[in-house]
Amino acid sequence: MKKTLSYITPVLFLILGCGILWFFEYYLKDNIDTVDVVVAKENIPFKGKISDGDIEIKKVRRDNAISGGYNSSDTKLIVDKYAAIDIKKGTQIYPSLIDSYDLIPNEKEGEFIAPIPDSWLFAVPGSLRKSFVADFYVIPDKEQAMLRAIVQESTQHSEKEEGKPVKTDKTIDNELLSNKEPVLKDVRVASVKDRSNKEVKENTEVKDAATGVISNLEIIANGETLTKLRDYTEQGYKIYVVYKYERSNEGDKS
C-alpha cells in the first residue's frame, strides 16, 4: 500500500500543479491587476458619429490603462458623440478624443471658428457659456437706443458704455423679442471669454456668479453665416444673442 501511494502521490501533485497552472493561465492571469477599458473596435474618422459597433470593452493591465480613460460603465458617454480626431482601431478612448459638444468645425462643410466683434453685438446673456446653442436676432438702428434704455433699467449690472453690448437675462429676452424671428438658429457657441482672453465659466466659489464678464464671443460658422451677419451689421443692425439651451455635461469627464 505504501509503495502504491509513493507512486500515486507524485502523480496527484503533478495533476494538481498542472490544474493550478491551467486555471491561472486561462482564468486568473487576465483578471489579476487588470481593468476594463473602452477601445475603438474599428477605425473612426474625424467627426464620425460613434456607434455601439465602433467600440468594445477590453481588459488591459492597470499600468497600461490611460489615466482618465473611459471604462465599461461609460459607453453612454461615447455612443452618438463625434470623434475629435481620426481614431485608430485598438485605441483606448478618453475624453479628449470625443467632440462631446460638436464644437470642432467640420472643414469639409466649410465650417470654422469665427469671432464676433463687439461692434456687431447689441446684447449677450451674462449666463451664456461655451457649448451653448444660441439664436441670433437683429435689432435695427432705430430701436437700439430704446431697447438699451429698457435693458439698462431692468438689470442691476447694466452696461453703461454706449458702444458695448448690454448683458441680459431670459426674462428680458422673452419680453423684447416676442414679436421677432431669429436670422440664425442653432448657432454653436465655441467660446465666451473675458477681456483677458480667459474662458468665462461658472464661479464654483460664489453662487450664481461667473469667473468674468463676457467680452469675446466665438461661434462655429461658415461663409454663408458670416456673410449674412456682416450684411446686416453693415446696414446698421446689431445682433441680439439668446441661448436656447445648455449642453449636457455628461460627456465631459475631465
Side-chain angles (χ1 to χ4, degrees), residues 100-114:
S100 302
Y101 300 129
D102 194 21
L103 293 182
I104 297 177
N106 190 331
E107 294 182 1
K108 292 181 180 179
E109 296 183 3
E111 292 184 339
F112 50 86
I113 294 179

Side-chain angles (χ1 to χ4, degrees), residues 59-124:
K59 290 185 180 296
V60 300
R61 294 289 182 186
R62 191 176 300 276
D63 290 344
N64 295 331
I66 293 176
S67 177
Y70 290 112
N71 58 47
S72 57
S73 64
D74 297 325
T75 54
K76 66 181 184 299
L77 306 180
I78 304 169
V79 173
D80 293 333
K81 299 298 193 302
Y82 296 86
I85 62 171
D86 286 323
I87 302 175
K88 300 300 182 184
K89 180 178 179 179
T91 301
Q92 292 183 43
I93 307 297
Y94 53 94
S96 294
L97 299 184
I98 307 300
D99 181 14
S100 302
Y101 300 129
D102 194 21
L103 293 182
I104 297 177
N106 190 331
E107 294 182 1
K108 292 181 180 179
E109 296 183 3
E111 292 184 339
F112 50 86
I113 294 179
I116 304 300
D118 272 2
S119 60
W120 288 13
L121 297 170
F122 174 79
V124 178

Side-chain angles (χ1 to χ4, degrees), residues 194-207:
D194 59 22
R195 294 182 188 278
S196 61
N197 206 38
K198 293 182 179 178
E199 192 71 34
V200 176
K201 302 177 181 180
E202 297 304 309
N203 192 326
T204 57
E205 298 179 357
V206 182
K207 185 179 179 181

Side-chain angles (χ1 to χ4, degrees), residues 120 223-236 239:
W120 288 13
E224 182 182 352
T225 298
L226 212 55
T227 298
K228 190 172 189 178
L229 294 177
R230 186 180 293 111
D231 287 346
Y232 272 109
T233 56
E234 287 177 351
Q235 296 175 53
I239 303 166

Side-chain angles (χ1 to χ4, degrees), residues 4 34 40 50 71-72 88 91 105 111 113 117 127-128 134 137 149 193 198 209 221 234 239-240 243-244:
T4 302
T34 63
I50 301 171
N71 58 47
S72 57
K88 300 300 182 184
T91 301
E111 292 184 339
I113 294 179
S127 53
L128 186 70
Y137 295 77
K193 297 181 179 179
K198 293 182 179 178
E234 287 177 351
I239 303 166
Y240 196 124
Y243 70 81
K244 296 172 60 178

